[in-house]
């Protein structure tokens, strides 16, 4: 349930009350903070349930040269929690477009995850996500805040609502990638059934 992964202040809120408590931007973009949080809150437990305790064949193998394993994907999500979402959100609130975001190192996990176990990475991700969502709630963002703008180093002007929506879809992108990478390990074992398994036909839309 949602409350299992929140700080105490969020634990007291049911999903219905959470929707009332957190400001929502209702626009043609379809963004709503409560909906984004409902997904962001669940990602650490989703990854833990899928990956924790699996043999290395599933979590340490990739799709070939210059591709990522499940271990690498979790490490990448950790880097995002530390250096991307909340730091950029605070830049928007504090400086707006006057302060460009720092570039995001999407390969930093290859150094930062060295010497760690997958269980450590899953625990670190869960802790950082919990801390970030608690910090997001304490900002008490209002309706007008969601249109505030920042400057991405390659995309140009972006809004605060676009940043948080991207945070949620970034999770889904890497869950998609994770399923594809893991399925790849049995690409030959399934034999002729590969024709019916769409995940094996996916060309990939992420690293």
């Amino acid at each position: 349930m949602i409350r299992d992964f929140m700080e105490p202040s969020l634990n007291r809120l049911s999903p219905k009350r959470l929707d009332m408590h957190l400001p929502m931007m209702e626009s043609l973009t379809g963004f709503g903070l409560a909906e984004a949080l409902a997904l962001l809150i669940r990602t650490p437990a989703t990854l833990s349930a899928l990956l924790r305790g699996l043999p290395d064949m599933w979590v340490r193998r990739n799709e070939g040269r210059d591709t990522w394993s499940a271990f690498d994907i979790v490490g990448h999500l950790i880097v995002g929690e530390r250096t991307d979402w909340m730091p950029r959100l605070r830049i928007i609130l504090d400086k707006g477009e006057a302060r460009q975001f720092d570039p995001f190192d999407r390969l930093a996990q290859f150094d930062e995850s060295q010497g760690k176990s997958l269980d450590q990475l899953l625990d670190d991700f869960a802790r950082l996500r919990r801390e970030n969502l608690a910090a997001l709630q304490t900002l008490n963002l209002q309706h007008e805040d969601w249109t505030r703008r920042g400057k991405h180093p390659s995309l140009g002007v972006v809004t605060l609502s676009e940043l948080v929506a991207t945070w949620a879809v970034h999770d889904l992108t890497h869950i998609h990638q994770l399923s594809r990478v893991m399925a790849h390990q049995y690409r030959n074992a399934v034999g002729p059934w590969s024709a019916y398994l769409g995940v094996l036909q996916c060309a990939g839309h992420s690293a």
Side-chain angles (χ1 to χ4, degrees):
M1 296 176 65
I2 286 179
R3 62 175 179 271
D4 294 334
F5 311 110
M6 290 182 168
E7 291 290 328
S9 61
L10 289 175
N11 281 342
R12 293 190 291 270
L13 298 176
S14 68
K16 183 176 180 181
R17 289 186 62 205
L18 179 65
D19 185 67
M20 296 169 59
H21 179 77
L22 295 170
M24 182 183 295
M25 178 185 178
E26 295 179 355
S27 71
L28 294 177
T29 65
F31 172 77
L33 180 59
E35 288 80 7
L37 284 176
L39 189 146
L40 290 166
I41 288 161
R42 286 167 168 80
T43 302
T46 299
L47 296 183
S48 182
L50 177 61
L51 299 175
R52 198 179 294 269
L54 280 180
D56 280 354
M57 186 276 288
W58 293 114
V59 299
R60 292 283 187 166
R61 292 184 185 177
N62 57 32
E63 298 169 288
R65 184 177 178 182
D66 297 328
T67 64
W68 296 1
S69 66
F71 182 87
D72 300 327
I73 292 167
V74 178
H76 171 78
L77 291 170
I78 288 170
V79 176
E81 292 300 304
R82 289 196 303 96
T83 68
D84 193 337
W85 313 112
M86 286 302 293
R88 289 180 169 185
L89 188 147
R90 291 189 175 100
I91 288 173
I92 291 176
L93 294 177
D94 294 342
K95 301 293 183 179
E97 297 176 63
R99 160 86 155 81
Q100 182 173 276
F101 299 158
D102 296 327
F104 177 61
D105 184 353
R106 57 184 297 277
L107 302 178
Q109 68 270 18
F110 291 105
D111 289 329
E112 297 189 11
S113 299
Q114 286 188 19
K116 296 181 179 180
S117 68
L118 179 62
D119 283 359
Q120 285 177 286
L121 295 186
L122 290 168
D123 290 342
D124 287 347
F125 177 55
R127 174 182 55 80
L128 289 166
R129 176 60 59 86
R130 186 167 54 247
E131 292 172 356
N132 279 337
L133 295 185
L136 179 59
Q137 190 219 13
T138 64
L139 292 173
N140 193 30
L141 297 171
Q142 303 301 308
H143 180 86
E144 58 271 18
D145 290 320
W146 296 109
T147 57
R148 295 176 68 168
R149 309 199 309 179
K151 191 171 183 181
H152 188 279
S154 60
L155 299 176
V157 174
V158 296
T159 67
L160 196 150
S161 71
E162 289 169 342
L163 175 68
V164 177
T166 301
W167 190 1
V169 176
H170 182 263
D171 276 13
L172 294 173
T173 294
H174 288 292
I175 291 170
H176 166 87
Q177 180 191 15
L178 187 67
S179 68
R180 189 190 75 229
V181 171
M182 295 174 73
H184 181 78
Q185 310 314 315
Y186 265 12
R187 66 196 181 283
N188 296 322
V190 300
W193 271 287
S194 63
Y196 295 159
L197 301 172
V199 69
L200 296 177
Q201 318 306 324
C202 177
H205 307 286
S206 56

